[in-house]
Amino acid sequence: IYYIMSLRDFGTQGQEVKPKFMSRAKQWTEEIENLYRFQQAGYRDEIEYKQVKQVDGVDRWPDTGYVKKLQRRDNTFYYYSRKRECEEKEVQKVKVYAY
């Protein structure tokens, strides 16, 4: 079992948090869908996104909870659908980090 944690779980503000372990996704879940979206935008996960962009929250679709919009490192934006975007053939490419 792998756990994805938010920055508040670490009690650190502005301190860089590094993953201790990485594995690949085996099957699609809502968590994997969101990781896919962060990785498409150039980030490991929500923790790295919040560290780099210095934001408290991420824009999400209210009905699904999926990530709605992310700002890339070059300051352009990715906008995502409220429906699943991570196709079955992409699932095994998603990296799951443990802290």
Side-chain angles (χ1 to χ4, degrees):
I1 297 174
Y2 303 103
Y3 297 98
I4 302 301
M5 302 176 126
S6 69
L7 285 177
R8 71 176 180 274
D9 295 327
F10 292 98
T12 59
Q13 299 294 43
Q15 214 173 340
E16 191 170 349
V17 179
K18 298 272 189 181
K20 299 207 182 316
F21 181 78
M22 187 278 290
S23 64
R24 298 283 179 164
K26 303 283 190 249
Q27 63 184 22
W28 184 90
T29 65
E30 291 179 358
E31 177 185 13
I32 298 304
E33 178 67 33
N34 280 326
L35 284 172
Y36 174 79
R37 294 171 187 222
F38 281 107
Q39 291 170 20
Q40 287 290 301
Y43 302 95
R44 274 191 313 261
D45 51 27
E46 186 172 352
I47 294 170
E48 184 183 36
Y49 181 77
K50 287 179 176 180
Q51 287 175 347
V52 171
K53 291 299 175 185
Q54 298 292 301
V55 295
D56 292 329
V58 176
D59 288 336
R60 296 180 183 276
W61 289 104
D63 52 339
T64 62
Y66 298 156
V67 172
K68 181 178 185 179
K69 176 181 77 173
L70 293 173
Q71 188 175 14
R72 294 180 359 166
R73 293 173 193 263
D74 64 3
N75 292 324
T76 59
F77 286 90
Y78 274 180
Y79 293 90
Y80 298 100
S81 168
R82 65 179 37 145
K83 297 178 183 171
R84 177 179 172 173
E85 291 198 7
C86 181
E87 296 178 19
E88 209 54 49
K89 66 182 179 181
E90 300 291 320
V91 169
Q92 74 277 359
K93 295 178 185 175
V94 176
K95 297 175 182 178
V96 180
Y97 294 91
Y99 293 87

